[in-house]
Amino acid sequence: MSHDHITRRCFLATFASAAATLILASCTDNSSSSASSGKDDSSSSDGTSVLTKPLKNGYSSGIHHATITVKGKGTITLELNATNTPITVSNFARLVNEGFYDGLTFHRVIKGFMIQGGDPNGDGTGGSSQRIKGEFSANGVTNAIQHKRGVISMARSNDYDSASSQFFIMQEDSSNLDGQYAAFGKVTSGMEVVDAICDDTPVEDSNGTVAKENQPVISSIKMVD
């Protein structure tokens, strides 16, 4: 059984329980660029800045860990693989250390698939001020991480280099996303929190839209190392 193709403003998504490709995406506001050291920018198709090299902030190689505390649900612990996806991890760590995610929400929940959050607008249309290069094979970058249960990956629009702050965590395996999205780590503990969000969050439609008053709140995301 498949779900209808849904377009809302710049938000574009397609989901099917068996085989269709899903665009986990937003049209982000990129009016300014990151001031972090080590930035190397190019221009995307719409002329906005794209981070094409890892930030020199200590998170561009090796394995790192972070925690996501969800209000009333508990804590999700992540292992982030910067050797696999150095641009994605170093940018995610920058946002975390700036407190960008604290108080944001999971605005999209599809039980049996994934939870999506990290949008300051809370509706799938927002992001940070910096776009990043998509680190996945369809964009010419080797990425060995598969979209299995517990994997964290970056949401994007149709533009391969449009990821910004929005991320999603897989509740179940979805191999059709492999090579299309920048998976950059995995949950090492706290999958019961992901399951609880999927089980308890009411949604408005088959696209997993969550009304603002029902969106699970990210109390904080912290880098551990």
Side-chain angles (χ1 to χ4, degrees):
M1 183 178 98
S2 63
H3 299 276
D4 292 335
H5 186 81
I6 298 172
T7 303
R8 185 183 66 200
R9 284 195 261 170
C10 297
F11 184 87
L12 177 66
T14 303
F15 172 69
S17 58
T21 300
L22 173 72
I23 303 291
L24 296 137
S26 70
C27 182
T28 57
D29 177 5
N30 295 283
S31 57
S32 62
S33 298
S34 167
S36 298
S37 62
K39 183 181 67 173
D40 190 342
D41 292 344
S42 66
S43 293
S44 67
S45 58
D46 64 0
T48 57
S49 172
V50 176
L51 186 70
T52 59
K53 289 188 177 180
L55 298 171
K56 296 178 181 178
N57 60 359
Y59 297 99
S60 61
S61 65
I63 301 297
H64 301 278
H65 298 85
T67 57
I68 303 176
T69 302
V70 183
K71 185 176 180 180
K73 300 291 186 185
T75 299
I76 302 166
T77 301
L78 301 171
E79 178 184 277
L80 307 178
N81 190 334
T83 299
N84 184 77
T85 44
I87 298 171
T88 305
V89 172
S90 63
N91 183 69
F92 180 79
R94 173 184 67 86
L95 293 174
V96 168
N97 287 334
E98 289 175 354
F100 179 89
Y101 290 110
D102 299 354
L104 300 188
T105 63
F106 289 99
H107 64 274
R108 187 169 181 233
V109 175
I110 300 178
K111 185 175 180 178
F113 185 40
M114 60 89 224
I115 61 175
Q116 182 175 340
D119 174 14
N121 292 346
D123 62 3
T125 66
S128 72
S129 61
Q130 179 68 67
R131 292 189 183 187
I132 62 174
K133 179 178 176 64
E135 294 178 293
F136 46 86
S137 61
N139 204 28
V141 180
T142 300
N143 186 332
I145 302 176
Q146 297 177 311
H147 286 81
K148 296 182 177 294
R149 174 172 164 83
V151 161
I152 183 171
S153 189
M154 292 301 295
R156 63 171 178 83
S157 70
N158 283 324
D159 185 337
Y160 284 172
D161 296 332
S162 59
S164 176
S165 65
Q166 290 189 49
F167 62 88
F168 58 97
I169 300 175
M170 306 302 300
Q171 190 194 23
E172 300 296 344
D173 299 358
S174 188
S175 61
N176 60 303
L177 302 185
D178 296 343
Q180 301 291 321
Y181 298 89
F184 63 101
K186 64 181 180 181
V187 174
T188 56
S189 67
M191 275 304 294
E192 69 276 6
V193 177
V194 176
D195 291 335
I197 290 171
C198 289
D199 289 341
D200 301 341
T201 306
V203 298
E204 303 296 299
D205 51 39
S206 60
N207 191 42
T209 303
V210 182
K212 293 219 173 194
E213 63 271 20
N214 295 323
Q215 292 176 4
V217 175
I218 298 169
S219 299
S220 67
I221 303 183
K222 304 293 184 186
M223 296 302 300
V224 176
D225 56 31

